[in-house]
């Protein structure tokens, strides 16, 4: 979690002609000659232009030149608090820590103590932590009062957030919290930061401890979504789903719910466990009570769960609901539903759904084609099976060997020998390999019907390929 105070100044290219002129000098001239070149250019700075120059990428890339520009601009304009903070950030990001503190001391002296702010120290914390120097970052919190600032929750949160961004240092952040909580009362953001760190390192034991203390200290707050999200996600990822669900019910009774991160994790877990009851309960809570919009992966997961259970009406309902929430089904979604129809032997629905897929330009997979052909023959619908094969031919769906085998076998069973010859020719043209067992079955049926020549035609063509 990134607090407002700790955000680095936004760096962007300036479209101001005066700022661009100064930046051209900063990029072109050696650092030691920058002030002379700026004085010679005949253009004076303004406070706004100074800020534009300092927050540019060029100034961050050339910290020494940026310092000289800052010093030169100071002869003509009074530095704003934002300009000072930019300078502190530039120096800190460059790991120029002694000049950084010199700048902070100058801020304090020049502004009568009013220029230095929590934002200044948030930059210091972030710079030290980014360089791996956590001890000095922590020490900076302890010297804030020298600059007229009493460390508060905002400052603490900035420090904790900066520490937690360093891989594997959640314990350090927790230690800082334990040391300071008696003198710096934590707020909801403090706990959200610590719980996010627990989630990152997968520490469910600590997460439960931090969560318990949060409830005692700051109570229940519906706006504290990030904390609830991280806490429950940590439990779920740690395999403590039952415990997470109990906590979720307690939160719900307090009018508090997590965000989409937890619900996405929970849906994925219950779907993999094929826990239909809890999946539906979590989904309804997410949509109806939390007012969240499921994403594409969540829809696909739930559709898969419904299809696996044979609840095809619910799966189709979700498919219809997706575009209403700005989520659009793809081939995976459609093929999941088609697989559900074939698995549960719903031939009429499968035939209708294949037509819908064609209308929506969604192709069935090769495995679904074979399964549909088998189903249609079992349900005495060879025309539908042939339509599937036509789709395979038209769109060159590969590999087609399984579908070809099932189509030939089904047509032979129905005595549709003319159709067998036509489709076998197509298969040969498509370089689809016909197995020995398929050819032997074909030979037997054609011979029984005294149609040797048609079989011989197919066999000769197959040999040529």
């Amino acid at each position: 979690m990134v607090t407002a105070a700790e955000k680095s100044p936004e760096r962007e290219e300036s479209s101001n002609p005066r700022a661009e002129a100064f930046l051209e000098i900063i990029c072109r001239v050696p650092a030691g000659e920058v002030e002379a070149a700026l004085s010679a250019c005949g253009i004076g700075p303004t406070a706004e232009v100074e800020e534009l120059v300092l927050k540019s990428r060029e100034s961050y890339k050339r910290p020494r030149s940026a310092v000289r520009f800052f010093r030169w601009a100071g002869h003509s304009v009074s530095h704003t608090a934002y300009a000072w903070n930019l300078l502190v950030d530039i120096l800190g990001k460059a790991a120029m820590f002694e000049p950084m503190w010199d700048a902070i001391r100058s801020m304090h002296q020049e502004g009568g103590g009013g220029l230095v702010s929590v934002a200044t120290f948030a930059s210091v914390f972030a710079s030290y932590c980014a360089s791996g120097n956590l001890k000095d970052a922590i020490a900076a919190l302890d010297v804030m009062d020298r600059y007229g600032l009493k460390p508060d929750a905002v400052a603490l949160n900035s420090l904790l957030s900066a520490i937690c961004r360093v891989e594997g240092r959640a314990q350090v952040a927790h230690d800082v919290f334990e040391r300071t909580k008696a003198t710096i009362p934590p707020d909801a953001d403090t706990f959200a930061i610590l719980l996010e760190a627990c989630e990152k390192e997968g520490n469910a034991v600590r997460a439960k401890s931090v969560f318990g203390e949060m409830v005692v200290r700051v109570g229940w707050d519906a706006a504290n979504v990030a904390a609830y999200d991280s806490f429950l996600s940590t439990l779920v990822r740690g395999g403590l789903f039952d415990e997470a669900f109990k906590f979720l019910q307690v939160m719900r009774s307090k009018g508090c719910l997590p965000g989409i991160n937890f619900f996405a994790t929970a849906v994925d877990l219950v779907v993999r466990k094929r826990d239909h009851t809890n999946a539906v309960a979590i989904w309804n809570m997410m949509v109806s009570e939390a007012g969240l919009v499921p994403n594409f992966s969540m829809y696909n997961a739930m559709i898969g769960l419904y299809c696996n259970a044979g609840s095809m009406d619910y799966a189709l309902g979700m498919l219809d609901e997706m575009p209403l929430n700005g989520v659009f089904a793809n081939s995976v979604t459609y093929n999941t539903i088609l697989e559900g129809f074939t698995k549960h032997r719903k031939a009429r629905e499968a035939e209708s759904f294949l037509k819908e897929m064609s209308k929506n330009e969604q192709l069935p997979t090769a495995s679904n084609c074979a399964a549909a052909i088998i189903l249609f023959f079992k349900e005495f619908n060879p025309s539908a099976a042939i339509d599937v094969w036509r789709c395979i031919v038209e769109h060159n769906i590969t590999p087609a060997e399984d579908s070809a085998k099932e189509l030939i076998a089904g047509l032979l069973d129905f005595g549709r020998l003319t159709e067998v010859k036509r489709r076998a020719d197509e298969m040969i043209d498509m370089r689809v390999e016909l197995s020995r067992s398929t050819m032997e079955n074909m030979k037997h049926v054609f011979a029984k019907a005294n149609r040797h020549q048609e079989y011989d035609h197919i066999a000769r063509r197959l040999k040529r390929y």
Side-chain angles (χ1 to χ4, degrees):
M1 180 176 180
V2 179
T3 64
E6 69 176 311
K7 287 183 180 177
S8 293
E10 182 181 357
R11 301 173 213 170
E12 58 186 25
E13 300 300 328
S14 167
S15 59
N16 183 294
R18 192 177 300 193
E20 288 176 354
F22 294 149
L23 286 169
E24 189 276 330
I25 292 171
I26 288 172
C27 294
R28 175 174 53 83
V29 176
E33 302 172 15
V34 164
E35 289 175 89
L38 289 168
S39 297
C41 76
I43 305 172
T46 65
E48 178 187 2
V49 167
E50 180 185 23
E51 292 174 357
L52 287 172
V53 170
L54 290 173
K55 71 179 180 180
S56 70
R57 293 185 181 87
E58 285 77 8
S59 291
Y60 275 82
K61 290 177 183 176
R62 301 169 177 81
R64 289 179 173 78
S65 295
V67 170
R68 284 167 172 77
F69 167 78
F70 180 86
R71 188 165 57 197
W72 172 80
H75 296 309
S76 303
V77 298
S78 295
H79 300 303
T80 64
Y82 183 45
W84 275 108
N85 281 340
L86 283 165
L87 180 67
V88 169
D89 199 56
I90 289 169
L91 293 169
K93 293 296 185 293
M96 298 170 64
F97 296 119
E98 287 189 20
M100 178 189 76
W101 282 110
D102 288 340
I104 294 172
R105 283 188 283 271
S106 296
M107 283 178 76
H108 184 57
Q109 293 165 3
E110 184 172 313
L115 290 175
V116 182
S117 65
V118 172
T120 310
F121 275 87
S123 172
V124 173
F125 302 149
S127 294
Y128 272 131
C129 289
S131 69
N133 196 340
L134 273 61
K135 286 185 179 179
D136 283 345
I138 296 166
L141 181 73
D142 297 328
V143 301
M144 288 180 67
D145 55 354
R146 297 182 192 174
Y147 299 90
L149 297 172
K150 182 179 179 181
D152 60 5
V154 177
L156 174 64
N157 295 346
S158 297
L159 174 59
L160 294 178
S161 184
I163 294 172
C164 290
R165 284 199 297 273
V166 181
E167 191 70 32
R169 294 306 181 95
Q171 180 63 54
V172 176
H174 192 75
D175 291 343
V176 171
F177 167 73
E178 289 294 331
R179 180 175 68 83
T180 59
K181 66 183 181 182
T183 55
I184 305 176
D187 62 11
D189 285 344
T190 311
F191 291 103
I193 292 165
L194 293 173
L195 287 168
E196 185 179 324
C198 292
E199 180 188 3
K200 186 178 178 182
E201 68 173 10
N203 193 330
V205 174
R206 180 181 294 155
K208 286 190 278 188
S209 173
V210 171
F211 184 80
E213 186 166 356
M214 179 185 76
V215 172
V216 171
R217 283 180 171 268
V218 302
W220 296 96
D221 182 359
N224 201 9
V225 172
Y228 305 138
D229 210 42
S230 291
F231 173 58
L232 292 177
S233 294
T234 304
L235 297 185
V236 167
R237 290 196 176 106
L240 304 175
F241 180 80
D242 291 341
E243 199 167 347
F245 201 73
K246 288 176 184 176
F247 274 110
L248 180 59
Q249 297 300 339
V250 173
M251 289 179 193
R252 183 185 183 190
S253 70
K254 303 292 183 180
C256 300
L257 287 170
I260 195 69
N261 181 48
F262 162 72
F263 283 111
T265 303
V267 166
D268 177 65
L269 179 69
V270 292
V271 166
R272 282 192 279 115
K273 291 173 66 176
R274 298 190 177 181
D275 186 348
H276 187 275
T277 302
N278 278 327
V280 173
I282 289 171
W283 187 273
N284 290 338
M285 193 183 303
M286 171 181 64
V287 175
S288 302
E289 297 183 40
L292 298 171
V293 177
N295 59 32
F296 172 77
S297 297
M298 296 168 76
Y299 268 114
N300 268 8
M302 285 297 291
I303 286 172
L305 182 66
Y306 280 129
C307 289
N308 188 65
S311 303
M312 302 307 298
D313 287 343
Y314 287 103
L316 291 173
M318 283 204 161
L319 179 66
D320 292 338
E321 178 188 306
M322 288 175 74
L324 302 179
N325 284 324
V327 183
F328 299 96
N330 68 358
S331 177
V332 173
T333 318
Y334 279 94
N335 274 284
T336 298
I337 295 174
L338 178 58
E339 184 178 353
F341 282 131
T342 58
K343 177 181 178 180
H344 297 284
R345 297 193 62 171
K346 295 181 180 291
R348 190 178 305 163
E349 292 86 345
E351 183 179 8
S352 174
F353 193 70
L354 276 163
K355 291 175 182 176
E356 182 178 342
M357 289 179 68
S358 177
K359 190 194 315 179
N360 292 324
E361 299 182 345
Q362 299 290 345
L363 296 177
T365 61
S367 59
N368 271 344
C369 287
I373 289 171
I374 293 171
L375 174 64
F376 292 143
F377 278 124
K378 282 182 178 179
E379 298 299 320
F380 305 99
N381 191 351
S383 296
I386 293 169
D387 285 341
V388 175
W389 177 255
R390 288 190 181 118
C391 177
I392 292 172
V393 174
E394 180 181 353
H395 298 287
N396 193 29
I397 298 172
T398 57
E401 278 71 18
D402 288 343
S403 293
K405 172 187 170 185
E406 299 301 339
L407 182 72
I408 294 293
L411 290 173
L412 290 172
D413 286 344
F414 276 82
R416 302 278 293 271
L417 302 190
T418 302
E419 195 69 42
V420 170
K421 179 180 177 300
R422 180 183 299 121
R423 301 308 163 190
D425 280 333
E426 285 178 344
M427 293 168 190
I428 294 169
D429 291 339
M430 291 173 64
R431 304 294 195 273
V432 175
E433 185 177 342
L434 296 175
S435 67
R436 179 178 297 177
S437 61
T438 298
M439 292 301 296
E440 287 176 353
N441 189 25
M442 198 187 304
K443 181 178 181 180
H444 172 74
V445 175
F446 272 90
K448 193 173 180 181
N450 198 29
R451 297 173 68 168
H452 301 280
Q453 288 184 337
E454 289 169 277
Y455 170 77
D456 291 341
H457 164 80
I458 296 169
R460 283 195 301 273
R461 286 205 66 204
L462 192 61
K463 280 183 181 179
R464 283 202 294 270
Y465 287 105

